[in-house]
Amino acid sequence: MNFFKIYWKLISYLVIHFTIEKKTDIMKLSVKDAMRCVGCQSCMFACSRRSGNAGLSNTCIGVRSTGGISRGYTVIVCRSCKNPPCASVCPTGALVPQKNGGVRLKSSKCIGCGLCKEACIIDAVFWNEEQNKPVICVQCGICADYCPYDVLELIKDEKEVSHE
Amino acid sequence: MNKNDTLSNVLYIDLTKKKSWVNDRRELFEKYLGGTGVATQLLMEECPEGIDPLDPESPIIFAVGPLTAVFPLASKTCAMFKSPHTGDLGESHAGGRSAVAIRMAGYGAIVIKGASEIPVYLSIRDGKVFFKNAETLWGMKDSSIPARVIRQNEKGEGLRAIFRIGQAGENLVTYSSVTTETYRHFGRLGLGAVFGSKKLKGLIVSGKRMIEVNNKKEYRKLYDEIYKAATDSPVMKKYHDIGTAVNIKTLNTLKALPVKNLQMSTSESIEPLTGEEMAKNHLARRVACAHCPVACVHLAYLREPYEDDPYFFKTTPVGYDFELIYSLGTMVGIYDPTQMLKLIDKVEEVGVDAMSMGVILAWITEMVERNKISKADIEGLEIKWGDADAYIQLVDEVTHPKTDFLKACAKGVDFAAAKYGGKEFAMQFGRNEMPGYHTGPACYLGFLLGARHSHLDNAGYSVDQKELLDNTLAPEKVVDKLLDEEAIRQILSSIAVCFFARGIYDLKMVSRGLKLVGFELDDKQLHDIGKQIHLSKYQFKVREGFEFDKLNIPERIYQTEDPTGQITKEFIHNGLKYAQKLIIQ
């Protein structure tokens, strides 16, 4: 009987764990095709609008020209690194690496030193100037929902996905 | 408006003293919203009566609106100044990143006065204004290079707007423009020359902030409604698919498209220039203004071989739209898209208004044909319809004028025709060169009333096509319709939404949007404010010498076939008399 209970618990744990991982933790934002980007900033405004307000202070996706608008755009999203350099340099442990890559910000621990921003070589640690704290992508995909030209997508990260 | 909104901050910059300060002008924004409404009042305050538009004390105003960076398509900045081209109201709207950048930098308006003794550019960020030496940038041949240098030297990637002038602005050509984000322009009425007169080569502005809304749930809902309309609705389709160039074919079929200085209103040769053909053969990329999912800016790739090496090509992305195809294509008899793109590229390089330049090139061509000017007047150039290479040289000559004739051309076709003749085919209205519509009398009444901002476009072509194609309407009724529509447009340009979005932003929608940022105004109140703003603009125009009786009307509009067959002197005269009574009283 005991053996059956333990066996059942183990199965339940694996199923639940697997499902949660599949549905939440492993969804990753990907730049499908930056060539289709028109620079409309809809993704940036959508990201910032998660706070409920307007403007751009809270955006953690960036669109910039690739050396002038005539050459097209570069779309910068967090790659949710397996060993995030931003977390490695955080002196207060405010950036907590996640099991499946990426980091979460513990805002109360953050002292706004900006080392994380410096450490990210693709400039994917964005900065909220008003709060003097980083804005970290949680791979929610709202930016992809508001991209009118299918530049972005939120996909399951079963293998490595391409990020720009 | 909401308490914490930085919209009411007006940034004042004195180029003479190299000083800047901010005044809170809440009362102005609460009464006139922003954009055109606020800029008009600031112009009235700052511009001394009767001043030379190129005097240091002549101000430049930029204003954005309460919906900028709040809702999609609120992406326009309104520039106001005294126009060196017409001598009265200078109003020009541009998109790019300009509006979002100004709003995100924490300002609703920027007022620039004075003049620097050395060339400068302004860097506006982090609540400060930096005066940067632009000596090295002054006089550069290609106006895109200074923008590149500014880009490389300044912060704010992805958020910044970069305004700059070209040699035409430096040389005070009265229809020189200010370019922002390479492909957007404060065009037409000579803002470039006002920059040039102040030794202001350009400015860069950037920022990133939050704008509080007072009902987050309703904000998300309304945002989605507008966003969906912008991306899915058929009213926007024209702008994001083929773009405004779709009108080339339509107007050509209607016999409403100016060809060869409006000697004709249609041509069988224009097929390669239609929006459809341009998209099929030349469209390479589409780009958008900040916070606009429509992406109406169409870029073609111009591929030019080098004569000395067949395996080298100069590849240049060149913007095109209806007005460019009209002014630098059909108006000058160029029907080969590659030749037209070369000419557009030249016009971009020197930083001059495309429509004005096209009309002037067309007028010069006719002056040559009629032997009204000598070869020496145009520095020995051989000019004929459709010859893009010759026109490219002529653009250089007009923007760096040496002969008296070319100096006159640098002041516009009305000025040149007054001196050298050819008034009857100098295609200007209120001293501003015509846009590409020969749709009927309503359109011309709209041009002449000066009812709209600088583009001269107005509701007239819609009235012509909807009401005058098969019927007739009294000129007075036409004027009423034009002015009524303008009241609505003043609101759109005050909040400051792109006119392409007029199908989405009716006054009820505007009222809902404004409520979320703290303005309690219903559609009727908005309409009244629109009327008031429009009247203020006329007050400025009249103060600075605009007179209905002084309007020159080129005879050609009565001679060339149009779709309505109703462009008569009587119609135009009666319409103007009626408008004069309404407006001046």
Side-chain angles (χ1 to χ4, degrees):
Chain A
M1 203 58 177
N2 267 350
F3 173 76
F4 184 74
K5 263 189 181 172
I6 290 165
Y7 178 76
W8 180 245
K9 269 191 175 173
L10 184 67
I11 294 290
S12 310
Y13 173 79
L14 285 174
V15 167
I16 291 166
H17 191 70
F18 182 76
T19 315
I20 290 171
E21 276 203 342
K22 276 286 175 191
K23 280 193 176 163
T24 58
D25 288 353
I26 318 182
M27 294 306 279
K28 286 198 176 176
L29 188 60
S30 168
V31 179
K32 198 161 125 189
D33 187 357
M35 288 300 285
R36 290 176 62 127
C37 179
V38 297
C40 71
Q41 300 184 343
S42 294
C43 55
M44 293 162 63
F45 278 98
C47 182
S48 199
R49 210 163 52 250
R50 289 173 305 138
S51 70
N53 285 312
L56 284 170
S57 63
N58 221 29
T59 186
C60 49
I61 180 168
V63 175
R64 58 173 66 157
S65 74
T66 309
I69 283 162
S70 56
R71 291 165 201 264
Y73 296 93
T74 301
V75 182
I76 302 162
V77 301
C78 172
R79 296 196 72 231
S80 58
C81 306
K82 287 271 172 350
N83 296 303
C86 53
S88 307
V89 298
C90 177
T92 62
L95 289 175
V96 184
Q98 301 295 290
K99 195 178 163 197
N100 293 304
V103 292
R104 294 289 180 273
L105 174 69
K106 284 196 172 171
S107 191
S108 58
K109 284 191 173 184
C110 176
I111 55 169
C113 67
L115 287 175
C116 52
K117 195 172 183 294
E118 299 292 316
C120 181
I121 59 167
I122 61 164
D123 296 332
V125 172
F126 293 85
W127 206 256
N128 185 319
E129 310 283 349
E130 287 149 347
Q131 291 171 6
N132 194 36
K133 289 198 176 173
V135 202
I136 302 291
C137 175
V138 294
Q139 312 284 322
C140 73
I142 194 169
C143 50
D145 292 343
Y146 283 87
C147 174
Y149 298 102
D150 290 331
V151 174
L152 299 159
E153 61 183 346
L154 194 66
I155 55 171
K156 288 174 187 171
D157 193 32
E158 282 155 348
K159 290 179 188 165
E160 280 290 299
V161 294
S162 71
H163 301 277
E164 190 168 332
Chain B
M1 60 185 285
N2 286 345
K3 208 175 107 198
N4 296 328
D5 199 333
T6 53
L7 180 72
S8 56
N9 286 342
V10 177
L11 173 65
Y12 291 82
I13 299 170
D14 184 332
L15 286 167
T16 310
K17 295 180 182 157
K18 313 283 183 299
K19 272 175 68 178
S20 69
W21 64 96
V22 174
N23 285 349
D24 187 346
R25 301 299 305 272
R26 178 168 286 263
E27 83 298 345
L28 214 52
F29 283 86
E30 287 190 334
K31 196 167 176 194
Y32 297 104
L33 310 172
T36 298
V38 165
T40 307
Q41 299 305 317
L42 288 170
L43 185 69
M44 291 286 236
E45 283 176 16
E46 298 293 336
C47 187
E49 191 173 339
I51 199 168
D52 176 347
L54 303 181
D55 186 280
E57 286 314 299
S58 185
I60 297 166
I61 323 278
F62 292 110
V64 299
L67 300 194
T68 308
V70 178
F71 287 109
L73 289 133
S75 44
K76 289 281 187 182
T77 302
C78 169
M80 283 229 180
F81 48 99
K82 182 170 175 180
S83 166
H85 198 52
T86 63
D88 58 65
L89 182 70
E91 180 183 359
S92 187
H93 303 171
R97 290 197 196 118
S98 62
V100 169
I102 291 171
R103 183 95 157 96
M104 289 290 93
Y107 309 109
I110 299 173
V111 176
I112 302 172
K113 289 187 79 167
S116 176
E117 70 284 3
I118 56 157
V120 290
Y121 76 85
L122 299 170
S123 176
I124 304 169
R125 63 177 159 82
D126 305 328
K128 296 189 188 98
V129 176
F130 301 89
F131 297 84
K132 302 284 184 94
N133 193 327
E135 184 68 45
T136 320
L137 305 178
W138 202 259
M140 275 185 179
K141 192 177 168 216
D142 181 347
S143 70
S144 70
I145 306 296
R148 189 186 300 170
V149 176
I150 294 173
R151 196 165 64 230
Q152 285 164 350
N153 280 285
E154 297 286 338
K155 294 179 180 169
E157 291 95 335
L159 300 167
R160 58 199 179 182
I162 302 175
F163 299 4
R164 36 88 173 179
I165 60 167
Q167 285 191 326
E170 293 174 9
N171 295 344
L172 310 180
V173 174
T174 62
Y175 44 95
S176 51
S177 51
V178 172
T179 304
T180 177
E181 282 65 74
T182 318
Y183 300 106
R184 303 286 83 199
H185 309 90
F186 293 98
R188 311 243 57 188
L189 296 170
L191 183 60
V194 185
F195 264 54
S197 71
K198 297 181 179 309
K199 287 271 193 294
L200 179 59
K201 183 67 188 173
L203 68 85
I204 177 165
V205 55
S206 67
K208 197 175 150 192
R209 64 183 54 244
M210 181 180 76
I211 301 167
E212 272 179 19
V213 295
N214 46 29
N215 182 339
K216 291 179 178 178
K217 199 175 157 198
E218 176 60 20
Y219 174 47
R220 283 204 183 99
K221 194 172 150 241
L222 188 57
Y223 191 100
D224 286 350
E225 208 177 304
I226 294 170
Y227 182 83
K228 198 168 172 341
T231 48
D232 295 350
S233 105
V235 292
M236 301 310 294
K237 192 174 164 57
K238 152 177 163 182
Y239 301 113
H240 59 69
D241 287 356
I242 294 172
T244 56
V246 76
N247 282 340
I248 292 285
K249 195 175 196 166
T250 316
L251 292 196
N252 192 51
T253 311
L254 278 172
K255 297 185 177 157
L257 181 69
V259 175
K260 293 186 179 173
N261 204 29
L262 198 64
Q263 293 182 75
M264 296 167 285
S265 53
T266 184
S267 165
E268 285 176 6
S269 314
I270 63 110
E271 187 62 19
L273 297 184
T274 59
E276 293 81 354
E277 287 299 305
M278 287 297 293
K280 201 159 84 187
N281 303 317
H282 301 278
L283 177 62
R285 181 186 286 281
R286 279 166 47 208
V287 295
C289 294
H291 213 181
C292 173
V294 177
C296 73
V297 185
H298 287 57
L299 305 182
Y301 267 74
L302 171 64
R303 188 168 178 252
E304 294 173 278
Y306 283 90
E307 275 176 21
D308 60 338
D309 189 330
Y311 296 101
F312 261 121
F313 289 88
K314 184 185 170 201
T315 312
T316 320
V318 180
Y320 71 87
D321 62 13
F322 170 77
E323 297 292 10
L324 286 160
I325 297 176
Y326 139 70
S327 57
L328 300 172
T330 67
M331 190 66 165
V332 289
I334 295 177
Y335 308 122
D336 175 346
T338 304
Q339 298 303 309
M340 176 191 69
L341 290 170
K342 272 165 56 178
L343 183 56
I344 295 175
D345 190 39
K346 181 68 195 179
V347 164
E348 290 279 17
E349 181 189 291
V350 298
V352 74
D353 182 75
M355 278 186 263
S356 288
M357 184 49 94
V359 169
I360 289 161
L361 295 178
W363 176 77
I364 295 175
T365 312
E366 215 171 322
M367 291 293 278
V368 170
E369 269 188 346
R370 291 166 183 258
N371 294 320
K372 281 178 171 276
I373 51 168
S374 72
K375 244 184 175 179
D377 286 327
I378 49 171
E379 298 277 354
L381 291 175
E382 292 273 359
I383 297 296
K384 60 177 188 296
W385 298 116
D387 186 346
D389 289 329
Y391 284 135
I392 285 168
Q393 290 180 57
L394 190 52
V395 169
D396 261 334
E397 297 299 344
V398 171
T399 51
H400 302 76
K402 289 180 203 79
T403 69
D404 286 344
F405 175 75
L406 291 166
K407 281 177 189 163
C409 290
K411 292 183 175 175
V413 79
D414 187 56
F415 185 91
K419 234 173 147 183
Y420 292 89
K423 271 188 177 185
E424 61 282 12
F425 54 87
M427 303 313 297
Q428 58 67 45
F429 299 89
R431 299 195 196 129
N432 197 2
E433 288 73 18
M434 77 177 289
Y437 303 97
H438 181 64
T439 52
C443 199
Y444 286 112
L445 274 177
F447 298 168
L448 287 159
L449 292 182
R452 178 67 54 84
H453 69 289
S454 59
H455 282 263
L456 273 189
D457 290 355
N458 59 85
Y461 68 82
S462 163
V463 174
D464 284 330
Q465 290 178 54
K466 284 182 190 152
E467 319 250 2
L468 295 173
L469 267 187
D470 304 311
N471 295 307
T472 190
L473 203 62
E476 293 79 7
K477 290 262 180 247
V478 170
V479 169
D480 283 339
K481 276 180 183 287
L482 293 177
L483 293 179
D484 195 51
E485 176 65 22
E486 283 318 307
I488 299 167
R489 300 293 176 115
Q490 303 315 309
I491 293 299
L492 293 185
S493 60
S494 297
I495 58 171
V497 158
C498 176
F499 284 172
F500 288 174
R502 62 189 180 274
I504 299 172
Y505 283 92
D506 60 21
L507 291 186
K508 282 201 163 60
M509 179 67 92
V510 173
S511 171
R512 285 173 68 195
L514 283 173
K515 194 174 178 187
L516 290 162
V517 284
F519 290 79
E520 294 283 348
L521 295 160
D522 64 27
D523 52 336
K524 285 192 185 64
Q525 287 168 306
L526 285 169
H527 199 271
D528 288 345
I529 295 173
K531 274 187 178 169
Q532 220 177 316
I533 293 169
H534 203 204
L535 205 62
S536 298
K537 280 161 60 169
Y538 271 112
Q539 277 167 357
F540 183 85
K541 277 170 84 81
V542 171
R543 191 191 91 176
E544 298 301 326
F546 174 83
E547 281 182 45
F548 279 94
D549 297 332
K550 279 189 187 166
L551 290 168
N552 287 324
I553 304 173
E555 289 287 316
R556 177 148 298 161
I557 65 167
Y558 306 118
Q559 296 155 355
T560 303
E561 191 181 357
D562 80 287
T564 68
Q566 296 185 54
I567 309 177
T568 62
K569 282 186 183 171
E570 196 192 353
F571 197 112
I572 301 288
H573 176 81
N574 290 345
L576 286 178
K577 276 281 160 223
Y578 176 70
Q580 185 174 12
K581 231 189 275 171
L582 276 185
I583 292 163
I584 305 299
Q585 276 176 5

